[in-house]
Amino acid sequence: MAASWCLSYPDDAVLERLPLIRSVLAGHPGTVQDFEPVLTLLGSGRPLEVQARYVQEFDLGKRHALHLSYWTDGDTRRRGQVLGAFKQVYRRSEFLVDTHGELPDYLPMVLEFAACVDLDAGRELLIKYRPSLEMLRLGLLDDKLPHSLILRAICDTLPGKSPADQQAVMKMAGYGPPTESVGLEPYDPRLLPLARS
């Protein structure tokens, strides 16, 4: 739950929880150092500055996308089916999951679902989308953002070792970048480049 809050948009509710997050983490030795840089960042400056910084890092570009299926399916039409699968997992829990206007694969929501509703189902989603978590972790690490430590902490709770680089993540995922394939026949001559005569 601490990871969910620390990766969520820092609205007033999140910012008010900072002392609670610190207090809970203090009871779990070895976790505080992964969260403290983000907690410090969230607690520094005026709320509007903290929120603007969050939007700049997580909402305006795709390099730090917090939507798990973005990393596996990009902006392809196939992603709709994947998002539907996330909703099915939530429905099977028989709990009303309020997405707050977010897509169902939003990492803080998946983390909250695992923490508060169904640990096993939430963990399965995190394991399934481990390559997405690792790509996000590496992007945050490359840009020297402290959130990479929280992603590392999440990945450390999952089976297996974290890949060292993006090539290793792609190998872990078993595929290359997403491509659009809906409605396209392979080798359709209409899609081949035209040659000048």
Side-chain angles (χ1 to χ4, degrees):
M1 199 60 220
S4 173
W5 287 338
C6 287
L7 294 171
S8 294
Y9 176 77
D11 59 15
D12 291 342
V14 168
L15 296 177
E16 286 168 9
R17 291 183 184 122
L18 296 181
L20 172 62
I21 297 170
R22 278 194 172 95
S23 170
V24 170
L25 290 174
H28 298 276
T31 59
V32 176
Q33 68 271 14
D34 291 330
F35 286 81
E36 188 55 44
V38 171
L39 293 170
T40 299
L41 189 67
L42 291 172
S44 64
R46 294 179 298 134
L48 285 178
E49 293 169 351
V50 172
Q51 292 161 355
R53 190 165 49 223
Y54 179 92
V55 169
Q56 182 69 37
E57 295 299 346
F58 293 102
D59 293 341
L60 296 182
K62 297 179 179 179
R63 186 166 168 78
H64 306 139
L66 291 171
H67 294 91
L68 296 176
S69 69
Y70 169 76
W71 296 98
T72 56
D73 296 282
D75 288 325
T76 63
R77 281 177 264 184
R78 177 180 62 241
R79 190 169 175 213
Q81 182 179 0
V82 171
L83 294 173
F86 273 87
K87 287 182 180 179
Q88 287 300 321
V89 171
Y90 297 154
R91 284 189 190 119
R92 280 195 298 270
S93 73
E94 299 182 0
F95 277 78
L96 177 63
V97 177
D98 185 354
T99 62
H100 301 288
E102 285 289 349
L103 294 174
D105 65 337
Y106 181 55
L107 177 56
M109 186 181 311
V110 175
L111 293 168
E112 182 174 354
F113 176 77
C116 299
V117 177
D118 188 331
L119 177 60
D120 292 334
R123 184 173 163 77
E124 282 180 31
L125 286 173
L126 294 172
I127 291 169
K128 181 175 181 179
Y129 287 90
R130 175 75 178 271
S132 300
L133 295 170
E134 297 289 0
M135 289 297 282
L136 175 57
R137 178 184 65 80
L138 290 170
L140 294 166
L141 186 61
D142 287 347
D143 293 337
K144 298 177 175 51
L145 292 174
H147 303 80
S148 66
L149 298 172
I150 294 176
L151 266 292
R152 184 186 70 190
I154 294 167
C155 291
D156 284 350
T157 68
L158 304 176
K161 188 177 175 185
S162 284
D165 55 34
Q166 290 183 0
Q167 294 276 351
V169 175
M170 295 303 263
K171 187 175 179 183
M172 169 193 262
Y175 54 79
T179 57
E180 182 63 81
S181 60
V182 176
L184 302 178
E185 291 297 323
Y187 307 108
D188 186 331
R190 293 171 296 172
L191 301 177
L192 297 175
L194 298 175
R196 292 181 189 245
S197 21

